[in-house]
Structures are given as structure tokens and as C-alpha cells.
């Protein structure tokens, strides 16, 4: 299951498009567990920068909303836009400005398609997923839509991979209240991106629930759920920052696959 959701993340970051079809992302998209996915929508927006897809997988009875990670040079600008913005105007819940802009720029379009698919397939779960920057945007997008769309909370699951911190302690508390029990924030052993932005910067803080991949063999540790910013010290935060390597960010149980590199960076 974890690999299947990571394949959706790979497809979004590989810029799969409805004009080229699902299998255009290569090895990840022709795997037996996802080869029969049907694309519903792809988006590639330049300002504010956002890429992603919505798909339906009838065999697993899932509607999938997958957000692309950092695979355009200008996405680096969004990644570095760490100055927080209010998630709810007038409230103390603040989030990463670059990620919020990316989500709010397309959320109406995503909502339109998700609502139609939920109506067409009333028994299907709705999966939000993404790797790295895409994971942060998947979490924000899921929270936005749960607050907008009736009945979504009972059908939603959020699976993110290598997700950086998204907001402050107040935002983490709000997220945990709404979606903490329906979210699986997968972290690879010594991934440095999951430790960014640092805690001391604008009170950035992770939300629940962490699933720490302790090694490449797939042993996992499920972090304790917390109400505030008490990130489990026995999970990924137990690794010293200077012992981390970007290679761990690139490897989540062998994904993305080697041919993922053929989707070269573009502007």
C-alpha cells in the first residue's frame, strides 16, 4: 500500500498529463498495482506554481489527488518562501507561505473535480498524497477540502512522503483535530527535508501521524500522536541533523524508481 501511494506521488512529480496518459511516467506507472489507473485531471500552473493530478483507481476503489514535489526550478522559490501566512485569517494558525499559495491557487479546481468523483463513486475513499513539497501541499489541500466538502472527512486518507514541516504549533493542533487520525506522514530514516524548516524558525512544527521507515528493509516505527508540537523523539527526530543525507529523501522503499530521473528539471 505504501509503495502504491508513493507511485502516485512519483507520477505527479513526473508531470503525467492527460494528453500523454498515465503510463508516461515510466516504471512507477506500469507497476501491476497501478497500471490501470484512469486520469481525471492534471494541472500545471506557473503562478502560483503548482502541479498535480486527480485519478481514479477502480480496483482499489480510490479517488487519488496527488501533488508534485520539487521538479521545476521555480519550485525552489516556493520551497524557500518560508515566511508564514495565516491559514485562517485573524487566527494564530500560520503556515508556510509558498505551500499555501500553491494550494490556494488551484483548490477551487481540485474541489470541483473531487466533488464530482465523490458523487460518481460514493463508496470510494479519497487519497491525498505527495512527496516532499507535494506532501506538504497534499496535507494543506486535504485540510482545505475537509473544511469545505460535506462528507469528505469520513472518506479521506492522507499519505505523504518526505514532507517538510507545514505550519506552527497552532496549525499542527488544528490539523491533528481534523485529520491527524487519518494522516500517515511517512519519513525515511535520515531524510533531511523532514527536519525543515527547523523548529526554531517561526515555530514550525509537524502534525500527526508519523510513520518512520527505520531502514531500507521496511521496518517501521509509528510515532506517538500528540496534541501539540511534541514530535516523537523516538522517530525521525531522533536522527541528528548532521547525520542526515539527501539520498534518504530520494529513496522511499526503492521509490521513486531509477527512471524517475528521466523527468528532468524544467522551469
Amino acid at each position: 500500500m505504501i509503495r502504491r501511494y508513493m507511485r502516485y506521488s512519483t507520477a505527479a512529480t513526473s508531470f503525467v498529463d492527460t494528453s500523454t496518459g498515465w503510463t508516461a511516467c515510466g516504471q512507477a506507472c506500469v507497476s501491476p498495482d497501478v497500471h490501470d489507473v484512469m486520469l481525471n485531471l492534471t494541472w500545471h500552473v506557473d503562478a502560483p506554481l503548482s502541479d498535480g493530478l486527480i485519478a481514479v483507481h477502480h480496483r482499489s476503489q480510490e479517488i487519488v489527488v496527488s501533488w508534485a514535489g520539487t521538479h521545476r526550478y521555480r519550485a525552489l522559490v516556493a520551497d524557500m518562501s518560508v515566511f508564514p501566512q495565516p491559514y485562517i485569517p485573524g487566527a494564530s494558525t500560520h503556515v508556510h507561505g509558498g505551500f499555501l499559495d500553491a494550494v490556494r491557487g488551484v483548490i477551487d479546481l481540485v474541489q470541483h473535480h473531487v466533488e464530482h468523483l465523490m458523487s460518481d463513486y460514493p463508496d470510494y475513499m479519497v487519497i491525498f498524497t505527495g512527496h516532499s513539497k507535494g506532501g506538504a501541499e497534499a496535507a494543506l489541500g486535504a485540510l482545505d477540502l475537509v473544511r469545505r466538502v460535506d462528507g469528505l472527512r469520513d472518506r479521506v486518507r492522507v499519505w505523504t512522503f518526505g514532507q517538510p514541516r507545514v505550519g506552527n504549533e497552532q496549525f499542527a493542533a488544528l490539523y491533528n483535530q481534523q485529520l491527524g487520525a487519518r494522516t500517515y506522514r511517512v519519513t525515511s530514516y535520515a531524510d533531511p527535508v523532514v527536519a525543515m524548516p527547523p523548529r526554531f524558525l517561526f515555530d514550525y512544527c509537524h502534525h500527526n501521524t508519523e510513520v518512520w521507515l527505520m531502514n531500507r528493509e521496511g521496518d517501521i516505527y509509528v510515532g506517538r500522536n500528540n496534541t501539540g508540537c511534541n514530535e516523537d523523539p523516538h522517530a525521525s527526530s531522533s536522527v541528528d541533523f548532521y547525520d542526515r543525507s539527501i539520498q534518504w529523501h530520494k529513496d522511499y522503499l526503492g521509490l521513486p524508481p531509477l527512471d524517475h530521473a528521466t523527468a528532468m528539471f524544467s522551469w
Side-chain angles (χ1 to χ4, degrees), residues 17 35 42 49-50 80 85 88 92 106 118-119 134 141-142 147 254 256:
D17 193 274
H35 75 278
T42 56
L49 184 76
S50 182
M80 293 185 290
Q85 295 183 20
I88 300 173
S92 59
V106 296
M118 288 176 63
S119 176
R147 299 176 68 239

Side-chain angles (χ1 to χ4, degrees), residues 92-95 143 166-180 203-208 226-231:
S92 59
T93 50
H94 291 85
V95 298
L143 184 58
V166 176
N168 64 0
E169 182 171 354
Q170 289 79 10
F171 173 78
L174 172 67
Y175 189 96
N176 291 341
Q177 178 188 38
Q178 298 287 327
L179 283 174
D203 190 33
Y204 273 100
C205 171
H206 271 308
H207 57 73
N208 296 334
N226 299 291
T227 55
C229 198
N230 301 312
E231 297 175 13

